[in-house]
């Protein structure tokens, strides 16, 4: 799926997420939620609701895993 | 970070894959869900890239949950013994003054077993950056009490809660460190919520920036959540950190002298040969000595001198090293002896080479100078094939049983006593070795002995002992 680069978004790599949900607690726009599904390791990984991300990066700095979250800010 | 400023993703300061021994998963860390270590790792990685110091960063990993940091950071890495990170960091920084040294430790490592190391590294003002993760519990070993555990906190080893009467108070490391004069930057931060994480990011970068600018010792204490140890969800644990730890361990800057701090790189003490020779009072004595050894052809000498305390074993060993230095060779000398000043056993390891010497230990000597019976018994078997054994036949009745070594029997104690200086018997042993092997002319030993003895009369007696021994060996 081609992404619109003018819209900020967050990407969560399912198998790198450990389901701690610190990102969900930290997100100021409340656009992340537990997926209700389990990844390879058995964690209830977080997922992006699909809209409303402002690209602030707060979830990125709340997540303990180096590569689980990627945030695409709005391109200037 | 990626090179694109519009994308926040896995830092280039991390390896692409986290290949770990015995683990198939290469995409995630070993940390538990919600662990503060991972968050701090990301901040450190980001600062390393922002400051452009990835190629010269050396991360010292401790013992504790963060023991595997070297599997994650694509930098130089040393994993060290429990509590010793600041001591190793000191050595790394002093031998590589241009590197950026990060000493990373948890509360058990830094505030319990390694208390001495951190206090003294801080007190010396070593130019390093210390990240101290305080989560008030031992995580790796299963949730035991840490020095930073709070009063009343239940842990595996304080099942009724920590009591002051029994376990004392939680130790406040930032407060302790900031009581010392040398540290230039001491701050306590927290990872418990978004504003504190933002602050922590800035402080992590500042603590590294200080080192890049050569400002001295920077210490950052990071209050962090251990959901597994605290037996709560990650979100609840962060709430607990805020409600409990923030009150006991105030979030604040304790010291910031970075504006006025001078560059504090420690000089490499060994780099200035002149200064070292001057300190050893050897400078003016080197002038009229003419080296006689062809350095390119010099065969490594690994010598053990052994006897009983009082025979002058250690001083004879150091005399050999001094002689080697006069010849411009590389040398090491280390003693091995008991607590007695007289009596007991005594031996030393001396190495002489035309190349730099890695270890000063002599485990398989090519030369053994045995001054008494037990020494010969103990070390005869470790001498290399075709090696040399000098036997002090005044004291040792026994003959060497090996046939694959060259043996010289010399009455060293007798000769030295007859010529009036019993204390010179080990120097006599040295003379026998040089006369037998000719690795360095024995006359050169006379020179060194003459220079090192202040009383001329004593020096003359020593020299006659050396000559008598050389004659004796020449006749064998």
């Amino acid at each position: 799926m081609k992404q619109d680069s003018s819209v900020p978004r967050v990407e969560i790599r399912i198998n790198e997420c450990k389901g701690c949900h610190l990102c969900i607690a930290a997100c100021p726009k409340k656009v992340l939620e537990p997926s209700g599904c389990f990844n390879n390791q058995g964690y209830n990984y977080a997922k992006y609701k699909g809209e409303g991300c402002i690209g602030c990066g707060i979830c990125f700095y709340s997540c303990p895993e180096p590569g689980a979250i990627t945030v695409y800010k709005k391109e200037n | 970070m990626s090179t694109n400023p519009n994308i926040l993703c896995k830092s280039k300061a991390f390896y692409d894959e986290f290949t770990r021994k015995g683990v198939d998963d290469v995409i995630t860390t070993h940390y538990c869900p919600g662990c503060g270590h991972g968050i701090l790792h990301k901040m450190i990685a980001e600062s390393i890239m922002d400051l452009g110091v990835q190629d010269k960063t050396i991360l010292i990993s401790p013992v504790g949950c963060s023991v595997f940091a070297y599997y994650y950071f694509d930098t130089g890495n040393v994993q060290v013994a429990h509590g010793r990170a600041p001591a190793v960091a000191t050595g790394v920084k002093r031998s590589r003054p241009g590197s950026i040294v990060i000493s990373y430790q948890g509360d058990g490592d830094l505030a319990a077993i390694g208390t001495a190391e951190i206090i003294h590294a801080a007190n010396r003002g070593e130019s390093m950056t210390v990240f101290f993760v305080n989560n008030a519990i031992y995580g790796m070993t299963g949730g035991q009490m840490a020095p930073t555990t709070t009063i009343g906190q239940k842990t595996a080893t304080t099942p009724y809660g920590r009591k002051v009467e029994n376990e004392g108070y939680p130790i406040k490391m930032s407060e302790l460190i900031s009581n010392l004069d040398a540290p230039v930057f001491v701050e306590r931060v927290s990872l418990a919520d978004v504003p504190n994480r933002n602050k922590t990011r800035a402080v992590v970068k500042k603590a590294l920036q200080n080192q890049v600018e050569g400002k001295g010792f920077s210490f950052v204490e990071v209050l962090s959540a251990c959901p597994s140890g605290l037996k709560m969800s990650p979100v609840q644990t962060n709430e607990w950190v805020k409600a409990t730890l923030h009150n006991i361990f105030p979030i604040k800057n304790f010291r910031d002298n970075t504006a006025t701090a001078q560059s504090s790189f420690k000089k490499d003490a060994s780099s200035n040969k002149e200064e070292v020779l001057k300190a050893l009072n050897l400078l003016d004595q080197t002038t009229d000595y003419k080296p006689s050894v062809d350095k390119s052809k010099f065969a490594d000498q690994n010598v053990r001198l052994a006897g009983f305390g009082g025979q002058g074993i250690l001083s004879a060993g150091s005399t050999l090293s001094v002689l080697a230095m006069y010849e411009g060779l590389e040398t090491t000398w280390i003693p091995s002896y008991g607590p007695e000043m007289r009596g007991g056993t005594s031996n030393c390891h001396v190495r002489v080479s035309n190349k730099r010497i890695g270890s000063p230990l002599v485990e398989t000597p090519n030369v053994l100078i045995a001054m008494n019976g037990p020494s010969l018994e103990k070390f005869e078997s470790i001498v290399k094939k075709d090696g040399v054994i000098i036997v002090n036949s005044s004291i040792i009745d026994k003959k060497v049983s090996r046939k694959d070594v060259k043996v010289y029997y010399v009455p060293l104690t007798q000769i030295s006593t007859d010529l009036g200086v019993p204390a010179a018997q080990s120097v006599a042993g040295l003379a026998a070795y040089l006369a037998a092997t000719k690795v360095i002319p024995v006359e050169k030993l006379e020179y060194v002995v003459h220079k090192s003895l202040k009383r001329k009369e004593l020096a003359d007696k020593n020299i006659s002992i050396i000559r008598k021994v050389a004659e004796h060996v020449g006749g064998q």
Side-chain angles (χ1 to χ4, degrees):
Chain A
M1 190 175 69
K2 195 167 182 291
Q3 296 287 345
D4 180 354
S5 65
S6 66
V7 180
R9 66 194 160 89
V10 54
E11 226 175 61
I12 295 170
R13 292 192 187 154
I14 291 171
N15 286 322
E16 292 185 41
C17 175
K18 288 177 174 170
C20 73
H21 300 171
L22 290 180
C23 57
I24 297 172
C27 176
K29 292 291 171 186
K30 301 292 165 207
V31 297
L32 300 170
E33 61 183 354
S35 65
C37 303
F38 297 102
N39 67 10
N40 280 348
Q41 298 196 62
Y43 293 123
N44 177 4
Y45 59 90
K47 82 172 211 299
Y48 177 38
K49 288 177 181 172
E51 56 183 354
C53 175
I54 55 170
C56 66
I58 284 173
C59 57
F60 179 83
Y61 293 109
S62 301
C63 174
E65 280 303 314
I69 290 181
T70 305
V71 175
Y72 297 87
K73 300 180 189 178
K74 188 177 175 178
E75 271 181 26
N76 297 313
Chain B
M1 294 309 106
S2 74
T3 44
N4 183 341
N6 294 315
I7 301 174
L8 283 175
C9 62
K10 187 174 174 181
S11 170
K12 293 285 177 203
F14 290 119
Y15 290 114
D16 290 341
E17 292 196 335
F18 300 147
T19 308
R20 305 205 303 276
K21 196 176 167 188
V23 178
D24 293 333
D25 168 34
V26 296
I27 59 171
T28 63
T29 63
H30 71 292
Y31 296 119
C32 306
C35 175
H37 279 302
I39 300 175
L40 181 60
H41 280 18
K42 283 168 81 171
M43 292 173 178
I44 294 171
E46 180 183 58
S47 291
I48 288 172
M49 297 313 290
D50 285 354
L51 295 168
V53 294
Q54 183 181 19
D55 287 347
K56 52 181 180 176
T57 295
I58 301 172
L59 183 87
I60 317 292
S61 325
V63 168
C65 287
S66 46
V67 62
F68 288 150
Y70 58 85
Y71 281 131
Y72 310 133
F73 283 91
D74 186 3
T75 58
N77 287 281
V78 186
Q79 196 281 315
V80 301
H82 208 351
R84 277 48 174 167
V88 174
T90 298
V92 169
K93 184 70 183 187
R94 288 194 182 197
S95 55
R96 292 268 180 270
S99 60
I100 300 301
V101 179
I102 300 173
S103 182
Y104 190 110
Q105 296 184 274
D107 44 32
D109 197 67
L110 182 140
I113 192 170
T115 321
E117 281 75 10
I118 189 62
I119 293 288
H120 289 285
N123 194 44
R124 294 189 303 269
E126 297 295 340
S127 187
M128 62 171 73
T129 305
V130 177
F131 293 112
F132 165 46
V133 177
N134 175 0
N135 55 20
I137 199 139
Y138 277 59
M140 185 183 77
T141 49
Q144 292 84 357
M145 191 199 83
T148 48
T149 291
T150 61
I151 303 302
Q153 188 183 331
K154 290 183 178 176
T155 70
T157 44
T158 54
Y160 304 108
R162 179 176 188 165
K163 289 191 178 72
V164 172
E165 308 80 50
N166 212 33
E167 293 94 12
Y169 292 93
I171 194 163
K172 297 176 179 178
M173 289 309 299
S174 291
E175 283 83 342
L176 267 174
I177 299 284
S178 61
N179 263 311
L180 301 169
D181 292 333
V184 295
F185 184 82
V186 182
E187 182 148 347
R188 184 184 286 124
V189 293
S190 166
L191 296 172
D193 61 15
V194 173
N196 276 296
R197 278 173 217 142
N198 287 339
K199 183 78 208 291
T200 303
R201 265 177 77 203
V203 170
V204 165
K205 189 164 176 184
K206 167 119 180 99
L208 281 170
Q209 177 80 43
N210 289 345
Q211 194 181 162
V212 171
E213 292 168 4
K215 291 284 172 67
F217 187 86
S218 298
F219 184 88
V220 181
E221 175 172 348
V222 184
L223 300 182
S224 167
C226 176
S228 302
L230 272 295
K231 302 184 169 48
M232 289 185 262
S233 78
V235 174
Q236 283 171 335
T237 314
N238 276 318
E239 291 303 320
W240 180 85
V241 169
K242 272 202 286 185
T244 310
L245 293 190
H246 283 203
N247 290 325
I248 297 163
F249 302 104
I251 308 294
K252 60 181 256 194
N253 179 277
F254 291 86
R255 164 108 37 101
D256 186 356
N257 290 346
T258 45
T260 52
Q262 300 290 311
S263 175
S264 68
F265 284 131
K266 303 282 178 189
K267 274 187 192 159
D268 178 359
S270 65
S271 62
N272 190 335
K273 198 176 170 185
E274 292 262 302
E275 269 178 30
V276 174
L277 290 175
K278 198 173 165 191
L280 294 172
N281 202 19
L282 288 171
L283 195 60
D284 57 334
Q285 300 181 356
T286 52
T287 47
D288 63 331
Y289 185 92
K290 290 183 186 59
S292 51
V293 167
D294 179 354
K295 277 204 270 180
S296 65
K297 288 183 186 144
F298 188 84
D300 284 5
Q301 297 296 303
N302 298 316
V303 181
R304 282 294 273 275
L305 274 99
F308 60 83
Q311 279 184 308
I313 303 287
L314 306 185
S315 110
S318 79
T319 302
L320 175 57
S321 269
V322 170
L323 173 60
M325 286 192 276
Y326 273 114
E327 287 289 340
L329 293 159
E330 302 282 338
T331 185
T332 58
W333 166 84
I334 52 165
S336 165
Y337 54 88
E340 308 90 343
M341 287 301 287
R342 295 284 182 274
T345 61
S346 170
N347 77 88
C348 65
H349 306 228
V350 181
R351 298 191 65 187
V352 183
S353 177
N354 56 4
K355 299 174 284 291
R356 289 190 70 177
I357 295 167
S359 161
L361 286 181
V362 176
E363 282 167 341
T364 51
N366 67 330
V367 178
L368 169 65
I369 302 174
M371 297 301 295
N372 70 351
S375 303
L376 181 61
E377 275 167 37
K378 191 170 176 189
F379 299 119
E380 181 185 330
S381 63
I382 63 167
V383 176
K384 264 191 183 162
K385 185 173 172 292
D386 303 322
V388 171
I389 300 180
I390 307 291
V391 177
N392 178 13
S393 59
S394 309
I395 293 181
I396 307 171
D397 299 331
K398 191 178 162 277
K399 297 284 171 197
V400 173
S401 54
R402 284 177 62 176
K403 300 288 173 232
D404 60 347
V405 291
K406 196 136 197 243
V407 186
Y408 296 86
Y409 297 93
V410 191
L412 299 166
T413 309
Q414 193 64 52
I415 293 173
S416 311
T417 310
D418 288 351
L419 292 173
V421 193
Q425 54 188 293
S426 293
V427 171
L430 210 54
Y433 148 59
L434 293 179
T437 61
K438 299 185 174 61
V439 288
I440 299 172
V442 71
E443 301 77 44
K444 295 293 186 185
L445 178 63
E446 292 179 17
Y447 179 96
V448 173
V449 166
H450 191 75
K451 282 286 179 192
S452 61
L453 292 173
K454 288 188 185 76
R455 281 167 52 205
K456 194 172 177 305
E457 186 201 333
L458 189 63
D460 288 345
K461 281 184 181 171
N462 268 268
I463 286 163
S464 38
I465 292 167
I466 292 168
R467 288 187 182 159
K468 180 86 179 166
V469 168
E471 245 172 65
H472 194 283
V473 171
Q476 280 194 30

